[in-house]
Amino acid sequence: MEKKAIRVAYGEAIVKLGAKNDKVVVLDADLAAATMTNDFKKTYPDRFIDCGIAEANMVDMAAGMSTMGLIPFCSTFAVFAGRSYDQIRNGVCYPKFNVKFGFSHAGITLGEDGGSHQAIEDIALMRVLPNMTVFVPSDATECYQCVEAAAEINGPVYIRTARLPSPVYEARPFTVGKGIVIKDGKDCVIFTCGIMLEHCLEAVQILADKGVDAALVSFHTLKPFDDELARAYAAKCGKVFTVEEHSIIGGLGDAVASAVCGMGLQKFQKIGINDVFGQSGKPADLLVEYGLTGAQIADKVLNA
């Protein structure tokens, strides 16, 4: 199966978007070669601004541009959302300005740069902000859809992208705020997002080989969240597992927990980063270290 990093798809998508909409501008904080906004810079040099290592200033510049009718896309590493959080909160979300944030290198699969650069809290930070839409695409195809949708939304949007190449799946129907049933099942349900879809698909197959009929549901939108779908599968299966490349605090697991609270489930377990920072290592080794491979996910489901 073809593999492509979601950050690469993001770079391709904004170039295509720029061709269709001359209001689209891109700002980057000295990381264009890594966030993949370089192609936009080459294609539309007059609509690209390298803001240097000044993330807070970049966000305020984008806020101002949005008031003039432009559609700014800001890009940097996801971990640097913290550097500009006050500006994102008060400068963009509070007045509901039309600014998009395409932040890359999220999660532990950033790899050797280590815990200082591995964002395991960015979804939590963005979900809590009023007026913010949060996208976590599972592959390149879904990233294209998220970028297109972001441009149509009148307000702040956060798009989380990954460095590690992951499988490219066939396009599925895309609706903002709606999850996607990847596989039906009755014994338990696994809810996931982002690049963990690949590993959850492996886990579901392992479980099937052991006689467990697991449903798998993927969410490309974490805010607004598809409470209805989460509740439907929680009620159907009784046993719920959430899997994410993010802290188990404030991310997908908590979004699902809020949706299914009070349902009296037989089992609810969040699988992700257990309130610790990341560390330096090869992405594949880090997935093993934090228990996020398909085999490990399947084991956790079976043990539960």
Side-chain angles (χ1 to χ4, degrees):
M1 180 178 287
E2 177 193 0
K3 286 195 172 188
K4 178 185 288 189
I6 297 175
R7 63 167 177 153
V8 173
Y10 172 79
E12 295 170 349
I14 56 173
V15 170
K16 293 179 181 177
L17 183 63
K20 296 188 293 184
N21 190 335
D22 62 6
K23 299 296 185 183
V24 171
V25 294
V26 171
L27 299 87
D28 202 290
D30 196 43
L31 287 169
T35 62
M36 296 297 168
T37 60
N38 255 347
D39 284 346
F40 191 96
K41 177 181 180 179
K42 294 172 185 174
T43 309
Y44 307 107
D46 294 338
R47 291 154 59 187
F48 179 90
I49 301 174
D50 189 333
C51 302
I53 307 173
E55 294 83 1
N57 192 46
M58 174 179 70
V59 173
D60 278 343
M61 290 170 67
M65 290 178 177
S66 74
T67 68
M68 305 303 291
L70 298 174
I71 306 175
F73 279 74
C74 293
S75 293
T76 185
F77 285 3
V79 74
F80 297 143
R83 288 185 179 176
S84 54
Y85 196 65
D86 182 48
Q87 287 70 30
I88 293 172
R89 182 193 188 275
N90 286 332
V92 174
C93 289
Y94 184 62
K96 199 180 178 181
F97 285 159
N98 194 29
V99 179
K100 321 303 172 184
F101 304 97
F103 285 9
S104 73
H105 292 61
I108 57 166
T109 52
L110 167 56
E112 291 86 347
D113 286 356
S116 63
H117 283 58
Q118 294 164 356
I120 47 105
E121 72 287 338
D122 56 309
I123 295 173
L125 289 172
M126 297 303 173
R127 277 187 63 234
V128 76
L129 291 174
N131 298 322
M132 180 71 85
T133 297
V134 179
F135 288 140
V136 186
S138 63
D139 75 333
T141 303
E142 213 163 63
C143 185
Y144 300 143
Q145 295 170 319
C146 287
V147 170
E148 290 282 343
E152 296 297 322
I153 294 170
N154 183 24
V157 178
Y158 180 70
I159 305 172
R160 186 190 215 229
T161 70
R163 177 190 189 188
L164 184 68
S166 55
V168 179
Y169 304 105
E170 291 185 7
R172 303 182 180 96
F174 183 96
T175 303
V176 175
K178 294 296 181 183
I180 299 173
V181 178
I182 305 297
K183 178 190 172 296
D184 200 4
K186 66 180 187 304
D187 294 333
C188 66
V189 59
I190 299 173
F191 295 123
T192 193
C193 64
I195 65 170
M196 294 313 300
L197 176 59
E198 174 187 4
H199 305 282
C200 288
L201 282 166
E202 181 185 350
V204 165
Q205 184 58 57
I206 293 170
L207 291 168
D209 293 342
K210 294 181 180 293
V212 177
D213 183 18
L216 177 59
V217 179
S218 178
F219 295 94
H220 50 66
T221 310
L222 266 64
K223 186 184 179 188
F225 192 67
D226 195 346
D227 289 358
E228 183 180 359
L229 183 60
R231 290 181 66 85
Y233 266 84
K236 176 180 180 179
C237 299
K239 302 180 184 69
V240 173
F241 300 86
T242 63
V243 180
E244 58 192 312
E245 191 200 5
H246 183 274
S247 171
I248 58 172
I249 300 170
L252 170 68
D254 280 0
V256 173
S258 295
V260 304
C261 182
M263 292 184 66
L265 300 174
Q266 294 170 277
K267 182 70 181 180
F268 183 94
Q269 182 173 338
K270 295 187 285 185
I271 299 170
I273 312 301
N274 293 318
D275 197 23
V276 294
F277 287 108
Q279 57 189 301
S280 181
K282 299 291 184 185
D285 294 336
L286 290 167
L287 287 171
V288 173
E289 176 69 18
Y290 292 93
L292 294 175
T293 66
Q296 290 169 309
I297 294 165
D299 281 345
K300 290 175 182 179
V301 173
L302 289 169
N303 290 336

